[in-house]
Amino acid sequence: MKLTVFTEYTLRTLLDLASQQGRLVTVADIAQRHDMAKHHLNKVVHQLGLSGVVRTVRGRNGGIVLAQRPAEINLGKVVRASEPHFHMTACFDGGQNDCPYALACSLQGVLGRASLAFLAVLDGVTLADLLPQLPLSGLPRNRFDHVIQLVTSD
């Protein structure tokens, strides 16, 4: 399973904000540190704001900050909110199912259980669980790559 870029940006943003220990951070700063497209990151931050995971502060000294403690931010919920669907194959999309095996296929059940297992692992992880793995200072540009790869590897 491969997560969308939107979800990857979401996870990177949350990790970045958690490492800032409550300081306001700008979208431009996050985009630069992680080599992300600022326009795309604005959409991510907007969605995180709507979901109540981050708080945005407008103005000259504005920025974004986590609205919840890292221990309250569940990765399973974050991923579910940022992914459009979890269709591993065409047979999961009722409107697009043109598989000739659809009526007698047991693969869909296996893949469905695998998808649920994937989400169950994420349900057992909070943002706080990932923080001890992160260095506190002198971080390189893409300092969360190792964490993102663990979460998004297919």
Side-chain angles (χ1 to χ4, degrees):
M1 170 175 276
K2 184 168 176 77
L3 298 176
T4 61
V5 172
F6 187 89
T7 301
E8 181 179 346
Y9 278 21
T10 298
L11 295 171
R12 286 178 187 261
T13 299
L14 292 175
L15 287 165
D16 192 284
L17 292 173
S19 73
Q20 299 300 319
Q21 301 179 9
R23 291 192 328 248
L24 284 174
V25 179
T26 67
V27 169
D29 289 340
I30 295 172
Q32 181 181 8
R33 279 194 290 271
H34 298 280
D35 196 25
M36 297 177 185
K38 187 177 169 187
H39 176 73
H40 198 63
L41 187 55
N42 279 323
K43 293 178 184 179
V44 166
V45 169
H46 178 73
Q47 180 63 38
L48 287 170
L50 290 175
S51 68
V53 177
V54 302
R55 183 172 53 90
T56 59
V57 178
R58 293 183 177 262
R60 189 169 148 242
N61 295 319
I64 56 175
V65 65
L66 291 178
Q68 303 171 16
R69 293 187 338 250
E72 297 170 339
I73 300 173
N74 179 277
L75 263 56
K77 287 182 182 179
V78 169
V79 169
R80 281 181 183 88
S82 62
E83 281 294 306
H85 60 74
F86 289 96
H87 299 160
M88 294 176 78
T89 62
C91 58
F92 284 91
D93 185 359
Q96 299 294 324
N97 191 356
D98 59 356
C99 178
Y101 303 106
L103 296 177
C105 180
S106 59
L107 182 59
Q108 184 178 15
V110 171
L111 293 177
R113 289 193 312 273
S115 183
L116 291 174
F118 172 79
L119 291 168
V121 169
L122 294 177
D123 285 340
V125 179
T126 68
L127 188 56
D129 295 329
L130 301 177
L131 294 179
Q133 301 173 18
L134 303 176
L136 294 177
S137 63
L139 301 172
R141 182 182 220 176
N142 291 319
R143 64 188 183 256
F144 301 126
D145 283 343
H146 65 289
V147 176
I148 297 300
Q149 288 171 352
L150 290 173
V151 174
T152 63
S153 61
D154 38 331

